[in-house]
Structures are given as C-alpha cells and as structure tokens.
Amino acid sequence: MTLRPVGPEHAEGLYELVRDPEVRRLTGSHGEFDFEGARRWCASRAQHADRLDLAIMTGDGYAGEVVLNALDPANLSCNLRIALIGPRAFGRGYGTEAIELVLGHAFGTTPLHRIELEVYAFNDRARHVYKKIGFVEEGVKRDSLLWGGTWHDCVIMAILRPGWQARSGSLA
C-alpha cells in the first residue's frame, strides 16, 4: 500500500467510493455526486495548502482516501478523515496502515499537537481501529446523524503528539 497526493487520475476511484451505499452510511454522506464533480474535486486538491488529501493505493488500484483537513494553525490541530472503497478494501489493514503513515508524517514533520476525528457510534470496526492506533474517545455528539429514519450518535476522538510519541517510540 502506498499513499499518493490526490489528483485527476483518482476521480474514477473516488466516484466509485462516494456511490457505494455502505460507504455513504459509514460516512453519513447524504449528498449526490456525479463523475464530473469527482473529477473537479480530485483535480483541485493540490491547490489547497491547508490540507493534505492522499489516495490510498494498493496492487488492486485505488482503495480510498485519507485526509488531514480543518487545519487550525493557532492551536496546532487538524481533523483526520478516511474512507475506504468498500468490501474490496475493508478488513485488509489498509485503513490502519494509512492512518499510521499519516500520523507519522503529521507528528514527525509538522508542529501539530492534536489530530481529531469523528466516527458514528455504530461503526464499531472503525472505532476499534482508531483506539488501536491511539485515538481516545473524548465525547459524543448525540443524535447527530439521521440515517434511514433513525438517529445516530457521533463519537469525537483525538490523538495528541505525546500519546503518539509514547506509542511509536518517536521523539518527534
């Protein structure tokens, strides 16, 4: 598995990802996307200095994306989000590896102190992975997603530089 800056060549994979019903449920994505919108989105990622959009690539091609965004330079923090393309990428360790690589980059080459994320409470697989990597549950946004007529909570999780350093053995 490798991470590559998102570019126009990833539009087809992103379009497949955002159309997958299970991925849409796990990410709470209600919006509709067309291929041209996915192409424009992928083509514009390099123009943003306040975020890092990376394609997760495997021997089978595009497997998803991992993103650092919502940069808060004054507080040395940002958000992390990840989406895998679905059943062909789920359960293979790609998400764990991608997040660990991004955390190594973020904490090893930038002054970031905090990286946070949000995950829906029903996504036990993702919550398990985040905890294994070192993210800590900090709170709950109650009834933040209405999906299929049912309300779902959103769990806020974060990892801090000292926690990452202790876990990774890094002095960065």
Side-chain angles (χ1 to χ4, degrees):
M1 189 217 67
T2 59
L3 300 179
R4 295 201 178 109
V6 169
E9 66 274 19
H10 303 114
E12 188 174 313
L14 178 64
Y15 185 59
E16 180 182 349
L17 184 145
V18 299
R19 295 189 60 210
D20 182 285
E22 180 66 0
V23 172
R24 291 170 63 90
R25 184 181 76 86
L26 293 172
T27 59
S29 298
H30 291 290
E32 292 297 323
F33 302 91
D34 60 21
F35 180 76
E36 184 55 30
R39 190 196 62 71
R40 281 193 310 273
W41 173 262
C42 289
S44 70
R45 296 304 83 204
Q47 300 165 11
H48 300 273
D50 62 343
R51 59 184 292 141
L52 178 63
D53 293 81
L54 298 169
I56 301 168
M57 303 300 294
T58 70
D60 294 330
Y62 180 92
E65 65 174 11
V66 60
V67 177
L68 293 176
N69 62 358
L71 178 65
D72 180 349
N75 292 304
L76 300 176
S77 68
C78 71
N79 180 71
L80 180 139
R81 76 176 165 75
I82 186 167
L84 298 176
I85 204 158
R88 79 168 192 251
F90 290 164
R92 297 177 180 235
Y94 299 145
T96 300
E97 185 178 356
I99 294 169
E100 287 178 338
L101 288 170
V102 166
L103 292 178
H105 169 73
F107 289 132
T109 67
T110 77
L112 284 172
H113 176 74
R114 172 188 173 84
I115 298 175
E116 65 183 43
L117 59 83
E118 294 183 354
V119 58
Y120 294 110
F122 59 75
N123 193 344
D124 293 327
R125 181 177 54 230
R127 289 173 65 194
H128 171 77
V129 168
Y130 300 145
K131 286 178 187 178
K132 178 176 73 172
I133 291 171
F135 282 83
V136 174
E137 291 187 1
E138 295 183 334
V140 174
K141 291 172 29 177
R142 298 175 302 143
D143 289 354
S144 66
L145 173 69
L146 179 60
W147 194 268
T150 303
W151 287 104
H152 301 278
D153 294 344
C154 178
V155 178
I156 301 163
M157 301 179 77
I159 188 167
L160 305 179
R161 176 184 291 274
W164 175 82
Q165 288 173 321
R167 194 182 136 279
S168 70
S170 174
L171 300 175

